[in-house]
Amino acid sequence: MSTKKSKRPMYQPLPTSEKQLDDHVLSYKSPFTYSDMKKSDGYSAFIDIDEPKEEEYIQKQSCVLKLLSHFLTAISYAFFFLFFPFTYWICVKKMREEERMVVFRLGKMIGAKGPGRVLVFPWLDRVVKADVSASAFSVPPQQLITNDGGIIEIGAEIQYGITDVVVMVREVADHQDILRSLGKTVLVRLLAKKHISKLTREKTMCANEIMKELNKQIRKWGLIIRCVSLSEIKVLKQPEAMPGMGKLLSGLGLTGGKPKPKEEIPFPSPMEFARSAYNGDKDEPPRPETPDLNVTVEKAENGSVDWRTCLETVLNQENNLEQEVFGLYSINISDKNEKIVVNIGPDGKSVKYAADTDDAKPDVSVNITSSDLAGVLKGSLPPLQAYLTGRISTSGDMRKLMLFDKLSNRAHKPGATFNL
């Protein structure tokens, strides 16, 4: 019985002794082939994984449409040469060096033309002009809350250019409008994650980060951002010294990591001690109690008390208001259709309905629902969080919102009661 000679395996075990080492012959043959290299003429292909190209599916025209298009084009050329002196002024367009013209013939894009003189047939073609020179637009100053709790106002100037006119016309209807809205969104989203100190020190690096993020979005549209310049940072509210830990430390009686000095309680004299011990069984005169503001807020939320009275009661408990919160506030409670005007100044505070006041222009107008207003006054809804999530909409001086921050922090003072 004949046995077939087995082929020598591609991989062999390494020798373990000197005798085997002398007889062993190393094989440099690779189990892999380079057939793919032959298919590509010896050139390797590079694929950018970060920015994958989307496949374009081009629908082929039918033979009838192709014949009709060629027939109409031939007739148009014949008409152009037949009435040449007159059709030249109608069909020939002159394009400047920085201008391009994208031509659609019978609805099909035939490409970009220019610069120079371009022949188009008005009865057959539709054209879209584009300026490929360097352009710029400005993002108006935006008010945003940084990661460390501060409020700033910052704008930007963005320079852009067109790299592919055909792709830009095919993908985008109005590139200027899209660039403005996208630039505003990216600016607010990226800078809201920064600290004010980092924005001040590394403003150029933050601008480059915005440019990189914008280019990721718009390169597939035939556009490119060339430069982003941030404006001067206007700080509307200083950041917290210890963000996230300040309220916790103040609630534990600590300020800035150091123990808060305790108030000295004078010791009673022997006579006063004896008198208090002798009168210990007698009823003391009742002390004036501070009204529970959370109960008042809950009554206003349930409809037992109107919101004007509730706000007036809450503001009367705040005696140490800083000069920053002085001003005229217009509070519009949307679900109750109530508009309340709050006037805070050095002479005192007043809370009235808008119908009972003069038509003075308020410093800040706040739109809020009754449930969100109750959450702010009880301390369960931080005003800055409500502003970021769109539950509070404002117009006017953003710095006046510090009043709501003070009223919200009142519920977190040591000894204050609040409902979860």
Side-chain angles (χ1 to χ4, degrees):
M1 183 176 182
S2 62
T3 58
K4 291 184 179 181
K5 187 177 180 181
S6 62
K7 291 184 178 180
R8 190 176 184 181
M10 187 63 64
Y11 293 103
Q12 299 177 4
L14 292 176
T16 57
S17 63
E18 295 182 358
K19 185 178 180 181
Q20 293 178 351
L21 183 60
D22 296 336
D23 299 336
H24 182 74
V25 178
L26 292 176
S27 176
Y28 295 96
K29 293 181 180 180
S30 173
F32 306 102
T33 60
Y34 296 92
S35 58
D36 295 336
M37 292 283 289
K38 295 178 182 178
K39 293 178 182 178
S40 60
D41 297 333
Y43 292 97
S44 60
F46 175 76
I47 300 175
D48 191 356
I49 301 179
D50 295 334
E51 297 179 1
K53 272 194 172 182
E54 296 181 357
E55 295 183 1
E56 299 178 2
Y57 297 95
I58 303 175
Q59 187 176 5
K60 295 182 179 181
Q61 283 186 334
S62 62
C63 296
V64 178
L65 290 178
K66 283 185 179 181
L67 291 175
L68 179 62
S69 176
H70 291 315
F71 176 72
L72 293 177
T73 304
I75 291 179
S76 300
Y77 274 107
F79 182 80
F80 173 76
F81 287 111
L82 185 61
F83 301 95
F84 175 71
F86 303 102
T87 53
Y88 179 84
W89 304 104
I90 300 174
C91 300
V92 176
K93 307 295 181 182
K94 188 177 180 180
M95 308 297 297
R96 297 196 303 268
E97 184 179 357
E98 66 276 3
E99 287 183 340
R100 299 294 183 271
M101 178 185 291
V102 181
V103 182
F104 293 85
R105 180 158 296 170
L106 295 177
K108 181 183 178 183
M109 182 185 294
I110 62 174
K113 308 292 184 180
R117 291 175 173 82
V118 180
L119 176 63
V120 294
F121 303 119
W123 55 86
L124 204 63
D125 300 335
R126 182 177 65 89
V127 298
V128 178
K129 290 184 179 181
D131 190 353
V132 297
S133 60
S135 305
F137 66 92
S138 60
V139 178
Q142 303 293 319
Q143 294 178 348
L144 55 99
I145 301 173
T146 56
N147 197 24
D148 52 359
I151 301 178
I152 63 172
E153 188 177 71
I154 188 171
E157 183 178 348
I158 301 177
Q159 299 178 11
Y160 71 95
I162 300 175
T163 57
D164 194 335
V165 184
V166 175
V167 176
M168 189 267 294
V169 172
R170 185 178 65 236
E171 299 290 339
V172 182
D174 187 356
H175 67 280
Q176 293 184 355
D177 185 39
I178 289 180
L179 283 177
R180 290 178 188 276
S181 58
L182 184 63
K184 176 182 174 181
T185 304
V186 173
L187 174 75
V188 174
R189 179 166 58 86
L190 290 184
L191 297 187
K193 301 177 183 178
K194 308 292 183 183
H195 291 249
I196 293 182
S197 58
K198 186 175 181 180
L199 281 174
T200 307
R201 294 193 314 267
E202 304 174 356
K203 192 164 69 170
T204 305
M205 189 178 297
C206 295
N208 292 335
E209 188 177 349
I210 294 174
M211 181 178 67
K212 185 178 179 181
E213 184 66 23
L214 284 172
N215 280 328
K216 285 183 179 179
Q217 301 288 334
I218 69 173
R219 275 181 178 172
K220 57 187 177 182
W221 300 335
L223 301 168
I224 187 172
I225 300 296
R226 303 189 187 279
C227 180
V228 175
S229 301
L230 296 177
S231 64
E232 293 297 326
I233 302 173
K234 183 179 179 182
V235 181
L236 304 181
K237 179 201 169 200
Q238 292 295 336
E240 300 176 2
M242 300 182 68
M245 293 294 292
K247 294 182 180 180
L248 178 60
L249 294 177
S250 62
L252 297 175
L254 303 175
T255 305
K258 297 180 180 180
K260 189 176 180 180
K262 297 182 179 180
E263 299 179 358
E264 296 183 358
I265 302 175
F267 290 97
S269 62
M271 184 64 68
E272 293 175 348
F273 180 76
R275 189 176 299 161
S276 61
Y278 177 74
N279 296 329
D281 298 335
K282 297 182 179 180
D283 296 333
E284 296 182 358
R287 298 179 181 178
E289 295 183 357
T290 303
D292 190 355
L293 299 181
N294 289 331
V295 175
T296 306
V297 174
E298 289 178 358
K299 289 182 179 180
E301 191 176 8
N302 297 330
S304 304
V305 179
D306 58 302
W307 281 105
R308 188 200 66 80
T309 306
C310 175
L311 288 172
E312 188 176 16
T313 306
V314 172
L315 287 173
N316 288 335
Q317 300 299 320
E318 295 290 337
N319 298 323
N320 299 324
L321 291 177
E322 300 176 358
Q323 192 173 0
E324 295 178 355
V325 301
F326 289 173
L328 190 64
Y329 298 80
S330 175
I331 303 175
N332 183 21
I333 305 176
S334 56
D335 58 336
K336 299 293 183 181
N337 292 327
E338 295 183 9
K339 192 173 184 180
I340 302 172
V341 177
V342 179
N343 189 7
I344 302 176
D347 300 333
K349 315 179 228 13
S350 65
V351 183
K352 298 180 181 179
Y353 285 109
D356 302 334
T357 59
D358 300 333
D359 295 334
K361 185 178 180 181
D363 296 321
V364 61
S365 299
V366 180
N367 294 323
I368 190 172
T369 61
S370 59
S371 59
D372 291 339
L373 180 59
V376 170
L377 296 178
K378 289 190 290 186
S380 60
L381 177 62
L384 297 182
Q385 178 185 350
Y387 175 77
L388 281 176
T389 55
R391 300 169 71 173
I392 294 179
S393 60
T394 62
S395 60
D397 192 357
M398 278 279 298
R399 291 173 292 184
K400 300 301 180 183
L401 285 179
M402 296 299 298
L403 172 65
F404 293 91
D405 195 41
K406 278 185 166 293
L407 297 180
S408 179
N409 291 337
R410 168 195 56 79
H412 296 293
K413 289 181 180 179
T417 60
F418 58 92
N419 297 327
L420 296 177

